[in-house]
Amino acid sequence: MNLSENEFLQRLSVLACHNDPINPDLYEKYDVKRGLRNANGTGVCVGLTQIGDVVGYKLEQGKKVAIPGKLLYRGYSVEDMIADVKKNNQFGYSQCVYLLLFGQLPNQQQLAEFHEFLSSIRDLPPNFTEDMIMKAPSSDIMNKLARGVLASYSYDPDPENRDVANVLRQCLELIARFSSIVAYAYQAKRRYYDGQSMYIHNPDHSLSTAENFLRLIRSDKQFTPEEAHLLDIALIVHAEHGGGNNSSLTVHVVSSADTDTYSAVAAAVGSLKGRRHGGANIRVVEMMDDIKEHVHDWSDEAKLRDYLYQIAKRNAFDRSGLIYGQGHAIYTVSDPRATLLRDEASKLAKLKGFEDEYNLYRTIERIAPEVLYSIHGTDKLICSNVDFYSGFVYTMLNIPRALFTPLFAISRIAGWSAHRMEELVAGGRIYRPAYQSVCEERKYIPIKERT
């Protein structure tokens, strides 16, 4: 072969691209639910769940009517949970995990015992950090997290046991250890890819998940109560989002094949890494960087509107036509997660001197729907989603961008675990959707007759 490896791969990629495109008209002809969505934008119902519910509209005579968004965990409002946590000056993520897994709110004694148990299993297995993280560092922490989850199989004395009690043990260990795996993977990245110092601290068993994470990623282990409580709220609002989001559906699909816990959770991590899912908050921050670079006067709404128009017309930023952080598949009037983070962000912005940037976010949140309407003319209501503010919150907390999506995973492992348990208990059938073949049958050509 006279071609270089790169040239050969380029030739093969041309063949692959030429071979796979499908006429868009065929999707309508065969009534294909692309993206598992119905024609009216609602999701195709493929299962039942008691874990979480995402409410953004109601149906009246077959038509969607927009209403303020609600996020429910086991039937309880997340907004009420956070309000109660704040009133009592508590860290609420452990309570959130308890509710998602066991379907009921713990009393003070139950919560104290559960927190103590999670703390007791937070440490990684002996030599895990050295052998599974430091000896094979990764430039992307989500990939390292997925590998860490799969590696946990080798440290489990009973990895293939599908009994509910054993799967619960596995899930609780992953919930407790995700923050440590992510923090150590970040430290390895700093050392081997960024040329910076690496700090490996042991978890403090008296601290919450949010406190421990801030302790593990910082060289001096220091953080303020305001920082830890805000991160705790972020963990609560990201912990679950119904069974229809891509990563939770992945847990159901993979678990339905009767595989082990680590394979199912690692698959979910791979889903969450995607820029259309958990990676969206990084795109928001990158877009905001681009806006600040091109519009120097953040109070000039006319210039901001014009630049957003250029982004939406594919003439600026990444030329995708997307104003990141705007719009959601279900929420219409408002995304309760975005509202909660926005309100908390305003307080931290005042403490940390980010008020001008916060006001910029608020302005874009207000005018972006108008810009999108002027271009697309759709009457669909558009609101800011959780990704619009989560990256800004993490930035104010001095959390590196490489950790934005892994933080999502640290939180969402609670929801994934609940869905894993639900599929084992109430599922019973392997997911097997249909794909319509649109390739005509062809007569086989023997190799000696091919040109």
Side-chain angles (χ1 to χ4, degrees):
M1 183 173 68
N2 296 324
L3 297 175
S4 67
E5 179 180 332
N6 186 59
E7 290 171 331
F8 185 65
L9 287 173
Q10 287 294 324
R11 177 183 290 183
L12 291 179
S13 68
V14 171
L15 288 174
C17 291
H18 176 75
N19 182 59
D20 284 340
I22 295 173
N23 186 339
D25 294 339
L26 294 177
Y27 290 99
E28 184 175 353
K29 175 182 177 181
Y30 292 106
D31 191 27
V32 176
K33 311 293 187 182
R34 300 189 72 181
L36 289 179
R37 303 275 178 84
N38 294 309
N40 64 358
T42 59
V44 175
C45 188
V46 298
L48 302 173
T49 184
Q50 296 190 84
I51 299 168
D53 193 12
V54 183
V55 183
Y57 56 84
K58 60 182 178 179
L59 292 176
E60 291 185 355
Q61 297 179 340
K63 293 185 178 180
K64 293 196 300 183
V65 178
I67 60 174
K70 293 191 294 184
L71 176 59
L72 306 175
Y73 293 171
R74 297 287 187 175
Y76 295 106
S77 165
V78 171
E79 294 171 293
D80 290 343
M81 176 186 289
I82 291 176
D84 187 53
V85 166
K86 290 170 61 179
K87 179 180 179 181
N88 292 282
N89 196 33
Q90 293 179 316
F91 290 97
Y93 181 64
S94 293
Q95 178 181 186
C96 176
V97 172
Y98 190 102
L99 173 63
L100 290 173
L101 287 177
F102 308 119
Q104 61 186 29
L105 292 167
N107 59 35
Q108 285 286 8
Q109 181 179 347
Q110 290 170 328
L111 181 58
E113 292 172 348
F114 186 63
H115 173 75
E116 183 179 352
F117 177 75
L118 285 180
S119 296
S120 72
I121 58 174
R122 200 178 292 280
D123 292 330
L124 300 182
N127 301 318
F128 187 99
T129 302
E130 294 80 358
D131 294 341
M132 296 297 139
I133 298 177
M134 299 303 167
K135 288 184 178 179
S138 173
S139 60
D140 188 283
I141 296 169
M142 288 297 283
N143 283 80
K144 185 78 268 182
L145 177 60
R147 185 177 186 269
V149 172
L150 290 173
S152 298
Y153 181 103
S154 301
Y155 291 78
D156 189 328
D158 197 11
E160 289 288 345
N161 185 346
R162 310 286 200 278
D163 288 346
V164 170
N166 192 62
V167 172
L168 177 61
R169 171 190 63 80
Q170 294 170 331
C171 288
L172 289 171
E173 288 178 353
L174 290 174
I175 290 169
R177 294 169 181 172
F178 254 42
S179 57
S180 297
I181 296 174
V182 167
Y184 296 155
Y186 164 68
Q187 295 293 351
K189 176 184 179 299
R190 280 173 53 89
R191 165 66 177 83
Y192 293 103
Y193 288 90
D194 302 336
Q196 299 177 352
S197 297
M198 178 174 65
Y199 302 92
I200 302 297
H201 309 309
N202 292 323
D204 183 334
H205 292 177
S206 68
L207 300 180
S208 67
T209 298
E211 292 172 300
N212 258 306
F213 184 72
L214 292 174
R215 166 189 164 87
L216 293 180
I217 66 171
R218 293 181 175 175
S219 59
D220 60 3
K221 311 178 191 177
Q222 300 302 305
F223 53 87
T224 67
E226 292 82 6
E227 290 176 322
H229 280 288
L230 178 53
L231 182 57
D232 180 66
I233 289 174
L235 293 178
I236 294 172
V237 302
H238 284 96
E240 161 62 4
H241 211 237
N245 70 82
N246 196 278
S247 56
S248 294
L249 176 63
T250 297
V251 170
H252 277 281
V253 171
V254 178
S255 293
S256 78
D258 194 27
T259 191
D260 66 278
T261 297
Y262 304 104
S263 294
V265 173
V269 172
S271 164
L272 191 69
K273 179 192 174 186
R275 289 184 292 183
R276 293 177 180 173
H277 193 3
N281 54 15
I282 298 177
R283 301 299 286 167
V284 171
V285 176
E286 291 171 344
M287 179 189 74
M288 295 300 289
D289 285 345
D290 182 73
I291 291 172
K292 287 182 283 188
E293 182 180 339
H294 289 87
V295 182
H296 302 296
D297 182 359
W298 300 349
S299 64
D300 191 331
E301 285 195 23
K303 288 185 178 179
L304 283 172
R305 190 185 303 273
D306 179 67
Y307 196 70
L308 288 175
Y309 186 86
Q310 295 303 317
I311 290 175
K313 290 291 289 183
R314 304 176 187 265
N315 296 325
F317 186 43
D318 63 358
R319 290 171 170 74
S320 67
L322 299 175
I323 299 180
Y324 291 97
Q326 301 301 310
H328 191 269
I330 298 176
Y331 297 126
T332 50
V333 176
S334 61
D335 179 341
R337 305 168 302 168
T339 303
L340 286 163
L341 286 184
R342 182 188 67 203
D343 293 346
E344 295 300 320
S346 68
K347 303 170 188 176
L348 192 63
K350 292 177 181 178
L351 288 174
K352 295 212 167 192
F354 280 83
E355 288 181 277
D356 288 343
E357 191 162 355
Y358 175 77
N359 290 332
L360 173 63
Y361 273 81
R362 292 289 280 137
T363 301
I364 291 176
E365 178 183 23
R366 178 166 49 81
I367 65 178
E370 301 170 9
V371 170
L372 292 170
Y373 178 80
S374 70
I375 294 173
H376 302 296
T378 177
D379 58 358
K380 178 183 177 182
L381 290 173
I382 295 175
C383 64
S384 291
N385 59 49
V386 68
D387 296 313
F388 189 67
Y389 281 104
S390 60
F392 177 51
V393 165
Y394 298 152
T395 299
M396 288 195 292
L397 292 175
N398 198 29
I399 294 174
R401 292 182 187 182
L403 288 169
F404 286 8
T405 308
L407 259 174
F408 200 155
I410 290 171
S411 171
R412 187 56 63 86
I413 178 59
W416 292 338
S417 296
H419 284 285
R420 164 80 174 162
M421 300 290 293
E422 187 174 64
E423 184 63 38
L424 290 180
V425 173
R429 294 190 66 180
I430 188 171
Y431 277 72
R432 179 54 172 88
Y435 263 70
Q436 174 68 48
S437 174
V438 291
C439 180
E440 296 180 357
E441 186 173 351
R442 296 182 288 179
K443 183 179 179 180
Y444 186 81
I445 303 173
I447 191 169
K448 292 184 178 180
E449 297 179 17
R450 300 175 206 164
T451 57

